[in-house]
């Protein structure tokens, strides 16, 4: 339960790289004999030497970063804050020499030390998706490229602003967490950054030992349980109730206690075994530094405190989190140091408890327990003892403005040991100092620019176009949206198969998710072993005829349509091809006027060698097929008698057999259904009363005239059904052709942002064309003639080499002129931007008296004017770039046309 031992001196941790040893030596010279006792130092192996990859990345891309003056200098309030924090740090080192240094004022990207709380800059982005906790965490984990700490057991020396991290699109766990907290704070979440310790698989984002969450593996499946039917309880009172079984409360409680004790022993044994194995594999298992996010309850429908891993977007309940220990917690208002010295799951997260947490800055009186609950600051209020300084904890009183004196608290504890209860009461009084007697110092507002995400960057969510995450049971591949290269694919999940020994086998199935396709394809599932493929579509594509699901497995194709979307009422079509050239088609219908609910059709390929041909021949899949059998099923018509209402009608259409069998609905008082068989052959048209399937009572037998009418009606029905089958086969062939065309030529829908941008560009182009038409009346300058006069006396060149020389010289002159114009506009733009930055810095440093407020208002008006000029210059620069390309192309075509005669010669 004790805190890890530090691996470096505190001065070395806070000093920049290269100056750490000098800072330690200089501090020792200044303090002399009164030097404070520093923390224990361990010799690190060569593989853990600091690399400063973040520093190299910032320096290599520094020319493209936005660096205002607040990044380079500290204000007076920030300097006072750093003095207060430094005083707190020295007291902390003296009282707890065996604890690791705290991350209090690291350097930013410009090498300037900043208080860690001022690095958080709450921001509300204009994207509703980021207002949700899970979606925001997922976006941050996907948008940035994760990089491990330069040294896994040392705090980072550089913590840049979130705006810089967004521009670099890379960062470590501290950069991820600070950015996520800034976004969550803007959405009114009660979020905090936590600096502590985590296992190796967390710090290195190795998810191969964890199972993929269901929301990632199956994102389109609903997570909510189906609601219970409200009418289900109306008839419960008529049901027989089970007899109540009496049980002993004592036996139940004893059994529960025994089971709970067994579970604790098993869990403890498992935890000890896993910790032992992890220590054997990784000797820095409990010393690896990490940063994650805490989201407190009672805000934005968060019912309990949760931890959020910013590098992966996974949300952990506090009691089930994998983190090892906690050192500090901070947000944009203050920083709190953990004084409990216990494991993460046993730590009280109520930062208003003085015995558990030590606040670095004293800004306002800490809220009471009731107020903390109302503000969403409640946590695990497990009772905890405040250990002594040697055990790694203390509870402070005040010594200077804005900070707490850990020394006075230690002194009161030593007096308590000597004087007994009297000194203990004095220490208790010192602990309960009134808020009115404290000198407070407000934490400066954030020095960092608020993180901004443009529409283009919001769409390109992955630094390298795609992202791959390997889990224990699957592999997840994520792709950018609106990319023709991926055919609209945004996610691919390859699920592994496991054998009896829980060993992963080859891929079992692949689930692919699509978005923004014109054919409205939503998902495709491929079963690798069987080769079965299921494709799902959304509504909206008229060419697919309301297709919802398309399945291909071997020689079987299944089409499922949206209910009520087709005029013919078709719900499903199944086509199965046999080896002998026979195709069996089954179609399901609903809500039809003729009450047809099912049709089964048997088709057979035409054999050219056969002399006898069928009466009905049609085309299917570019082949001639014959219609052999039709079986139709109808729903019950309550207006007719059951003996007169046909349920199944079967047509046999073959050269040797042309019969129709009518099966009627079964009467409620009968056990045998009526069945009539007719022969439609031209020579033997009659009712087959001797047919084995003929079943009809004598009193229900049709007369001869009724049989003749029925024969004529069935012959006409046969022709109508054949025509209907032909039409459906044509539509099915057309649907297959459309699916094949979409598969070969994939088109994506256009984003609304792109549509609006194209519309605005079209309007601008039309306005430019109108202006050009007005200028076309004027005489256009001849760019070629001056070069002809200078080189050839006004005549045309005589050979190809002269033509090429004149052409390149003319184009180079135009290019130089266009670049000069662009440079002039860019210089104006840079001067206006520099003026705006200066005014912004002046507004930050203004005080609150009357004259300075008036001056701040004047600066604001000037800033608005500069912003207006910046927008005009920016639009002018974009227009010049577009027109420069157009002018260069027009001159190239003009020169080729005028000099083509010379080249032809």
């Amino acid at each position: 339960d004790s805190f890890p031992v530090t691996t470096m001196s505190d001065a070395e941790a806070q000093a920049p790289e290269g100056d750490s040893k000098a800072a330690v030596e200089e501090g020792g010279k200044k303090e002399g004999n009164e030097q404070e006792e520093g923390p224990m130092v361990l010799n690190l192996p060569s593989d853990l030497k600091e690399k400063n990859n973040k520093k190299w990345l910032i320096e290599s891309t520094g020319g493209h970063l936005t660096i205002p003056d607040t990044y380079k200098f500290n204000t007076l309030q920030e300097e006072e804050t750093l003095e207060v924090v430094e005083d707190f740090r020295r007291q902390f080192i003296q009282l707890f020499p065996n604890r690791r240094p705290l991350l209090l004022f690291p350097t930013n990207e410009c090498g300037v030390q900043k208080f860690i709380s001022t690095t958080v800059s709450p921001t509300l982005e204009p994207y509703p998706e980021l207002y949700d906790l899970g979606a925001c965490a997922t976006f941050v984990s996907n948008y940035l490229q994760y990089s491990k700490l330069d040294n896994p057991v040392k705090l980072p020396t550089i913590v840049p602003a979130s705006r810089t991290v967004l521009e670099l699109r890379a960062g470590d766990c501290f950069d991820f967490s600070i950015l996520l907290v800034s976004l969550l704070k803007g959405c009114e979440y009660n979020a905090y950054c936590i600096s502590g310790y985590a296992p190796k698989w967390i710090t290195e984002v190795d998810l191969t030992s964890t199972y993929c969450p269901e929301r990632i593996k199956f994102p389109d499946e609903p997570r909510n349980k189906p609601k219970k039917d409200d009418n289900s309880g109306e008839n419960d009172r008529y049901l027989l109730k089970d007899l109540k079984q009496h049980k002993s409360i004592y036996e139940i409680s004893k059994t529960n206690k025994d089971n709970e004790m067994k579970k604790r022993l098993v869990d403890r044994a498992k935890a000890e075994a896993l910790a032992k194995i992890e220590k054997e594999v990784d000797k820095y298992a409990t010393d690896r530094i990490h940063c994650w996010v805490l989201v407190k309850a009672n805000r934005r429908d968060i019912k309990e405190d949760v931890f959020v891993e910013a590098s992966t977007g996974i949300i952990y309940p506090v009691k089930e989190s994998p983190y090892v220990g906690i050192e500090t917690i901070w947000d944009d208002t203050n920083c709190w140091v953990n004084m409990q010295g216990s494991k993460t799951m046993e730590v009280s997260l109520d930062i208003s408890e003085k015995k558990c947490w030590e606040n670095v800055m004293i800004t306002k009186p800490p809220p009471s327990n009731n107020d903390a609950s109302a503000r969403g600051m409640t946590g695990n209020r497990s009772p905890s003892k405040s250990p002594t300084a040697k055990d790694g904890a203390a509870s402070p009183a005040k010594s200077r403005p804005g900070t707490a004196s850990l020394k006075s608290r230690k002194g009161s504890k030593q007096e308590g040991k000597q004087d007994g209860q009297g000194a203990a009461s004095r220490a208790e009084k010192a602990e309960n100092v009134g808020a009115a007697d404290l000198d407070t110092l407000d934490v400066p507002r954030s020095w960092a620019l608020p993180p901004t995400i443009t529409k283009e960057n919001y769409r390109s969510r992955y630094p390298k176009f795609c992202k791959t995450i390997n889990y224990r049971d699957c592999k997840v591949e994520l792709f950018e949206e609106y990319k023709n290269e991926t055919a609209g694919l945004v996610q691919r999940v390859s699920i592994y198969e496991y054998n009896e020994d829980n060993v992963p086998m080859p891929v079992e199935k692949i689930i692919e998710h699509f978005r923004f396709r014109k054919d409205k394809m939503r998902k495709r599932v491929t079963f690798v072993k069987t080769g079965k493929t299921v494709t799902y579509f959304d509504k909206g594509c008229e060419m697919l005829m309301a297709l919802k699901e398309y399945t291909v497995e071997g020689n079987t194709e299944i089409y499922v349509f949206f209910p009520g979307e087709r005029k013919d009422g078709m719900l499903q079509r199944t086509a199965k091809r046999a080896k002998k050239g026979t195709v069996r088609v089954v179609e399901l219908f609903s809500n039809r006027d003729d009450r047809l609910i099912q049709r089964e059709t048997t088709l057979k390929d035409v054999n050219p060698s056969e002399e006898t041909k069928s009466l009905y021949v049609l085309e299917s899949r570019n082949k001639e097929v014959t219609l052999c059998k039709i079986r139709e099923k109808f729903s019950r018509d309550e207006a007719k008698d059951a003996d007169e209402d046909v349920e199944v009608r079967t047509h046999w259409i073959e050269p040797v057999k042309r019969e129709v069998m009518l099966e009627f609905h079964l009467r409620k008082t009968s056990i045998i259904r009526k069945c009539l068989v007719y022969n439609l052959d031209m020579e033997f048209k009659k009712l087959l009363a001797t047919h084995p399937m003929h079943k009809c009572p004598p009193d229900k037998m049709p007369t001869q005239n009724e049989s003749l009418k029925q024969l004529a009606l069935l012959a006409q029905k046969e022709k109508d059904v054949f025509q209907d089958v032909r039409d459906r086969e044509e539509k099915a062939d057309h649907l297959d052709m459309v699916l094949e065309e979409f598969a070969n030529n994939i088109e994506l829908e256009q984003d609304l942002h792109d549509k609006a941008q194209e519309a605005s560009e079209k309007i601008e182009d039309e306005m430019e064309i109108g202006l050009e038409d007005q200028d076309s009346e004027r005489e256009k300058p001849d760019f070629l003639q001056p070069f002809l006069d200078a080189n050839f006396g006004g005549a045309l060149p005589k050979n190809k080499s002269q033509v090429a020389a004149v052409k390149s010289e003319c184009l180079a002159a135009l290019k130089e002129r266009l670049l000069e114009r662009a440079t002039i506009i860019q210089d104006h733009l840079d001067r206006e931007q520099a003026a705006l930055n200066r005014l912004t810095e002046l507004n930050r440093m203004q005080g609150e008296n009357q004259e300075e407020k008036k001056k701040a208002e004047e600066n604001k008006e000037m800033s608005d004017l500069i912003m207006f000029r910046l927008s005009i210059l920016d639009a002018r620069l974009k227009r010049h770039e577009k027109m420069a390309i157009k002018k260069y192309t027009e001159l190239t075509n003009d020169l080729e046309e005028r000099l083509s005669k010379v080249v032809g010669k």
Side-chain angles (χ1 to χ4, degrees), residues 376-534:
M377 298 179 63
T378 56
N380 303 321
R381 299 181 179 276
S382 57
S384 57
K385 238 181 182 181
S386 178
T388 61
K390 294 181 180 180
D391 294 331
S395 207
K398 281 68 188 176
S399 66
R400 59 175 298 163
T403 187
S405 174
L406 297 174
K407 292 181 180 179
S408 61
R409 189 57 180 165
K410 184 178 180 181
S412 65
K413 282 185 171 284
Q414 292 176 351
E415 291 175 3
K417 291 180 182 179
Q418 299 174 1
D419 301 335
Q421 298 179 354
S425 62
R426 289 194 299 270
E428 186 176 0
K429 291 180 181 179
E431 186 180 77
N432 299 324
V433 177
D437 300 333
L438 303 180
D439 294 329
T440 62
L441 177 64
D442 293 334
V443 176
R445 65 177 181 176
S446 179
W447 54 270
L449 293 178
T452 56
I453 305 171
T454 62
K455 181 65 177 179
E456 291 76 11
N457 292 338
Y458 181 72
R459 282 172 48 181
S460 59
R461 301 194 175 193
Y462 310 106
K464 295 183 178 180
F465 175 71
C466 64
K467 181 179 180 180
T468 302
I469 307 173
N470 292 306
Y471 292 94
R472 177 178 174 81
D473 55 340
C474 68
K475 180 176 73 171
V476 179
E477 299 171 89
L478 303 172
F479 303 90
E480 287 186 7
E481 299 174 350
Y482 294 103
K483 291 293 182 181
N484 291 317
E485 296 82 358
T486 58
L489 179 66
V490 296
Q491 178 176 316
R492 181 191 292 129
V493 182
S494 302
I495 301 177
Y496 305 133
E497 183 182 3
Y498 284 80
N499 58 9
E500 297 178 355
D501 299 331
N502 203 23
V503 177
M505 302 295 288
V507 176
E508 178 185 6
K509 64 179 178 180
I510 301 174
I511 305 176
E512 297 172 307
H513 296 271
F514 300 85
R515 291 190 69 186
F516 310 113
R517 286 175 56 121
K518 285 194 174 181
D519 59 355
K520 300 298 181 182
M521 183 190 292
R522 174 173 56 90
K523 184 173 70 171
R524 181 170 58 205
V525 182
T526 304
F527 298 87
V528 178
K529 279 190 175 182
T530 60
K532 178 181 177 181
T533 304
V534 185

Side-chain angles (χ1 to χ4, degrees), residues 234-395:
E234 293 182 358
N235 299 325
D236 290 349
R237 54 184 175 179
Y238 300 107
L239 299 176
L240 293 176
K241 295 182 179 180
D242 296 335
L243 295 177
K244 186 176 181 180
Q245 297 181 357
H246 299 280
K247 296 181 179 179
S248 172
I249 299 177
Y250 171 75
E251 292 180 356
I252 294 174
S253 61
K254 185 178 179 181
T255 305
N256 293 338
K257 287 182 180 179
D258 293 342
N259 294 335
E260 187 177 354
M261 183 62 66
K262 290 179 181 179
K263 186 179 179 181
R264 286 182 181 177
L265 293 175
V266 171
D267 292 344
R268 184 180 300 176
K270 286 183 179 180
E272 291 177 355
L274 289 174
K276 186 177 180 181
I277 293 173
E278 191 173 1
K279 272 195 172 183
E280 293 176 355
V281 176
D282 181 20
K283 55 184 177 181
Y284 304 106
T286 59
D287 298 338
R288 293 184 176 272
I289 294 176
H290 193 64
C291 184
W292 64 97
V293 176
L294 165 67
V295 180
K296 304 284 285 182
N298 299 333
R299 284 272 191 95
R300 292 293 307 274
D301 297 332
I302 302 297
K303 297 181 180 179
E304 61 177 356
D305 298 349
V306 293
F307 289 148
V308 183
E309 179 53 47
S311 60
T312 59
I314 301 177
I315 300 175
Y316 298 101
V318 174
K319 294 296 183 181
E320 301 174 7
S321 63
Y323 304 107
V324 179
I326 297 176
E327 283 282 1
T328 55
I329 293 179
W330 74 89
D331 64 351
D332 59 324
T333 61
N334 207 338
C335 179
W336 296 267
V337 180
N338 182 16
M339 312 304 290
Q340 302 167 74
S342 57
K343 297 180 180 179
T344 302
M345 292 184 291
E346 300 175 359
V347 168
S348 170
L349 297 177
D350 186 1
I351 55 179
S352 63
E353 294 185 5
K354 292 183 178 180
K355 295 182 179 180
C356 300
W357 297 94
E358 177 63 39
N359 52 329
V360 177
M361 299 290 295
I362 300 177
T363 55
K364 292 181 181 180
S368 62
N369 293 340
N370 297 333
D371 296 339
S373 176
R375 294 177 53 200
M377 298 179 63
T378 56
N380 303 321
R381 299 181 179 276
S382 57
S384 57
K385 238 181 182 181
S386 178
T388 61
K390 294 181 180 180
D391 294 331
S395 207

Side-chain angles (χ1 to χ4, degrees), residues 4-38:
V5 177
T6 185
T7 56
M8 62 177 176
S9 65
D10 188 72
E12 183 181 354
Q14 301 294 342
E17 188 200 13
D19 299 337
S20 57
K21 292 183 179 179
V24 174
E25 293 176 358
E26 185 178 356
K29 292 178 181 179
K30 286 183 179 180
E31 293 177 5
N33 297 329
E34 299 179 358
Q35 183 178 4
E36 298 169 351
E37 183 182 357

Side-chain angles (χ1 to χ4, degrees), residues 670-694:
S670 177
I671 61 173
I672 300 176
R673 68 177 67 243
K674 179 182 175 181
C675 181
L676 300 177
V677 182
Y678 293 90
N679 189 349
L680 296 184
D681 196 358
M682 297 298 295
E683 299 180 359
F684 308 99
K685 275 191 175 183
K686 61 178 180 179
L687 175 64
L688 301 178
T690 60
H691 196 278
M693 296 299 296
H694 178 82

